[in-house]
Structure formats: structure tokens, C-alpha cells
């Protein structure tokens, strides 16, 4: 049976008149009669008694009317749900982002999105660049936001913002030479972190093997690295977004070591459907007014 047959049956049953029901549904009388006949023939049961020139529901028809109304109500609810998802009146958007992005760059943009689309639920998981790529690839998140480059043909990636990295320590350093880099105590983020890979790429450009560094601590978060550097345990490289307040209060010193700007990338699985909520978030990000960059 089809939804159209159910609609015709319900309309005929409520009016106990085929012609009137056909007029209301804008179908021919023969089409309405044919739909009823098809239902009766398919299940070998009479839904209406023909009494003179009128019709009335049989016991089977009365029972079926209840079920048909329930099915049509559920179908209408399903249609409304799709319409609301399409119109961004409800829905859920799952994201994954690196620590720097989720803690310092993304919240402002998510707040702007929420003000515009308050009925879309946002959930954000935190992972390093490699972990975010795995989550998007596995479908655990529709969009990812990372600092590191992604070399996976299944994932689309594009720049959505930028960041500035700085080298900091508790005490100033007059010159950051290769000899100093090789001997200084370093506090690093974990392998796979975009922050760590940016620093390692910069020292490779100066002919230094990252494996030769004197790494005294490897820590799993920006905040942990920042706290250890502030405590004097060593030097670190972190986003200006992370260290800005500590530098402004002179709790940390910026060292004279140039690090290139690094882009923030959006990532998604190429073959999966991109929801309208994801498109709307990307539009908010693209048009979000950038805050004045903190100048070191």
C-alpha cells in the first residue's frame, strides 16, 4: 500500500463519500474508488459497506482507519523533521578540533553560529591533527578543524583561518642559534600535534634534526606546556592565542625566533553528504569578523 492510498482511504472514511473526498484531494472519483478497491483486493477484506447510495465503514475499516491515521501522522512528522533539518530549525552538528582551535579560535565562531541557528545542537570533540583526521574519516564528526596539514586523499581540506606561533621562556634569550636550540631544555606537545609539527618543520629548515633536541617534558595540552614553561622547566613553542596573556603580564618572554604563520584547516570526508548545518557553520566562519591579532 502507498501513502496516497492511505490518504484517500482516510478522507473517504471521514466523509463517508467518495466524490467529496476526491474533490478535496483533487483526484478523480475513479482514482479514489480505485485506491479503495486496491486496498480491499490486496488484503481480501471489505473496508466499506455500500448502503443504498452511501457508504459506511465496516469493523475492519474502523480498525484500519485508526492505523492509517497513525501512519499518516508519522509520515507527516518525518516530513516535518526533514524540512526542519533542511531549514536549520533542528539538527545536530558533530565537530572535532585540535586543542588550540577548540580552546581559543573556534568558541567565538560557534557562539556566532548559535546566535543565528539556536536550534542546532553542536558537539565538539578534541583531538590532535591525526586524531581529528581519523574521526572525520570514520564519520564520528562531520567537520574537523586542525592546524597540521593532512595527507589523505579521502579528506578534503581547506584553510579557514591562521595562527601565529611563538617561542617562549621564563627568561629572555639574546640570540637563538642552532647550538642554543640543540642544548636548551624543551617542553613539547605530543607526537601528532600540529603545534609540535610546526616547530619541528621550522628547525629542520635550519638543519636541526628534531630527534636531537633535549626534550625534558612531553605534555598532552597547551595549558600543561604553558604551565611548565611558566614554572621555568624549559622553553616551548605555542600559539600566540595561548601565550598572549602571559607575555602581556611579562610572566613569559618571547624569544627572537621566527616561525611562519600557520593556517587552520577545515577537513571533511569527500564522499559523505555535507549537511546544511555544516554549510551554515562554514559560512559563519568565512564571514566572521577577525579579532585584532595580539601583537607580540
Amino acid at each position: 500500500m502507498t501513502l496516497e492510498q492511505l490518504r484517500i482511504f482516510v478522507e473517504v472514511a471521514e466523509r463517508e463519500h467518495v466524490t467529496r473526498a476526491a474533490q478535496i484531494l483533487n483526484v478523480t472519483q475513479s482514482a479514489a474508488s480505485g485506491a479503495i478497491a486496491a486496498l480491499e483486493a490486496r488484503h481480501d477484506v471489505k473496508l466499506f459497506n455500500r448502503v443504498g447510495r452511501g457508504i459506511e465503514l465496516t469493523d475492519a475499516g474502523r480498525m484500519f482507519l485508526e492505523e492509517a491515521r497513525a501512519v499518516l501522522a508519522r509520515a507527516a512528522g518525518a516530513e516535518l523533521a526533514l524540512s526542519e533539518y533542511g531549514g536549520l530549525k533542528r539538527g545536530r552538528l558533530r565537530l572535532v578540533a585540535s586543542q588550540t582551535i577548540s580552546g581559543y579560535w573556534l568558541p567565538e565562531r560557534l557562539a556566532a553560529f548559535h546566535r543565528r541557528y539556536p536550534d542546532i545542537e553542536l558537539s565538539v570533540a578534541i583531538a590532535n591533527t591525526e586524531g581529528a583526521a581519523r574521526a572525520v574519516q570514520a564519520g564520528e564528526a562531520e567537520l574537523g578543524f586542525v592546524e597540521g596539514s593532512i595527507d589523505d586523499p579521502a579528506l578534503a581540506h581547506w584553510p579557514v583561518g591562521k595562527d601565529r606561533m611563538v617561542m617562549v621562556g621564563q627568561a629572555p634569550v639574546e640570540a637563538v642559534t642552532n647550538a642554543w636550540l640543540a642544548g636548551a631544555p624543551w617542553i613539547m606537545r605530543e607526537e601528532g600535534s600540529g603545534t609540535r609539527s610546526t616547530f619541528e618543520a621550522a628547525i629542520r629548515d635550519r638543519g636541526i634534526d628534531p630527534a636531537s633536541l633535549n626534550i625534558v617534558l612531553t605534555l598532552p595540552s597547551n595549558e600543561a606546556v604553558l604551565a611548565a614553561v611558566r614554572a621555568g622547566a624549559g622553553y616551548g613553542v605555542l600559539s600566540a592565542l595561548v601565550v598572549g596573556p602571559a607575555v602581556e603580564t611579562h610572566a613569559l618572554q618571547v624569544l627572537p625566533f621566527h616561525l611562519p604563520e600557520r593556517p587552520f584547516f577545515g577537513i571533511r570526508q569527500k564522499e559523505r553528504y555535507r549537511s546544511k548545518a555544516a554549510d551554515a557553520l562554514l559560512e559563519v566562519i568565512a564571514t566572521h569578523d577577525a579579532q585584532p591579532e595580539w601583537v607580540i
Side-chain angles (χ1 to χ4, degrees), residues 14-175:
E14 289 178 346
R15 278 152 187 78
E16 294 189 335
H17 202 286
V18 176
T19 303
R20 283 195 216 107
Q23 289 170 343
I24 290 167
L25 293 171
N26 198 27
V27 299
T28 64
Q29 182 177 342
S30 61
S33 298
I36 300 300
L39 286 172
E40 291 179 328
R42 178 180 176 84
H43 300 285
D44 192 23
V45 65
K46 281 292 180 185
L47 299 172
F48 295 95
N49 287 317
R50 277 71 180 177
V51 181
R53 294 177 124 191
I55 60 172
E56 63 181 21
L57 284 167
T58 63
D59 288 342
R62 279 189 287 273
M63 179 275 296
F64 186 56
L65 178 59
E66 240 179 88
E67 298 296 332
R69 281 172 173 158
V71 170
L72 290 176
R74 287 185 66 84
E79 191 172 2
L80 176 63
L82 285 178
S83 173
E84 289 183 342
Y85 268 83
L88 298 175
K89 293 179 181 175
R90 75 158 86 170
R92 184 183 184 197
L93 183 57
R94 294 177 301 167
L95 311 170
V96 62
S98 68
Q99 285 188 11
T100 302
I101 291 175
S102 63
Y104 298 91
W105 180 84
L106 192 57
E108 243 181 56
R109 289 148 180 85
L110 294 184
F113 176 87
H114 178 69
R115 286 192 294 271
R116 194 177 302 181
Y117 306 105
D119 298 317
I120 302 296
E121 178 190 347
L122 295 167
S123 64
V124 184
I126 298 174
N128 62 26
T129 297
E130 292 176 357
R134 285 194 300 270
V136 172
Q137 179 70 277
E140 296 166 5
E142 183 174 350
L143 293 175
F145 298 98
V146 298
E147 303 126 40
S149 59
I150 299 293
D151 184 18
D152 186 335
L155 298 179
H157 68 285
W158 63 98
V160 293
K162 59 185 179 180
D163 187 25
R164 183 177 173 190
M165 303 296 293
V166 291
M167 183 181 290
V168 291
Q170 193 183 52
V173 173
E174 189 172 329

Side-chain angles (χ1 to χ4, degrees), residues 181-252:
L181 286 167
W186 291 102
I187 301 161
M188 303 282 276
R189 283 284 307 277
E190 77 284 1
E191 294 281 355
S193 157
T195 297
R196 179 166 180 160
S197 63
T198 297
F199 177 44
E200 289 179 344
I203 62 173
R204 280 195 194 96
D205 287 345
R206 292 182 57 157
I208 299 174
D209 180 359
S212 69
L213 292 180
N214 176 27
I215 300 173
V216 295
L217 284 173
T218 300
L219 298 171
S221 72
N222 293 321
E223 289 71 24
V225 172
L226 177 63
V229 174
R230 289 189 64 161
Y235 298 89
V237 170
L238 289 166
S239 164
L241 296 169
V242 176
V243 302
V247 172
E248 288 175 341
T249 60
H250 306 292
L252 289 180

Side-chain angles (χ1 to χ4, degrees), residues 245-264:
V247 172
E248 288 175 341
T249 60
H250 306 292
L252 289 180
Q253 306 295 318
V254 177
L255 279 56
F257 183 83
H258 174 73
L259 286 154
E261 271 187 347
R262 62 174 181 174
F264 290 156

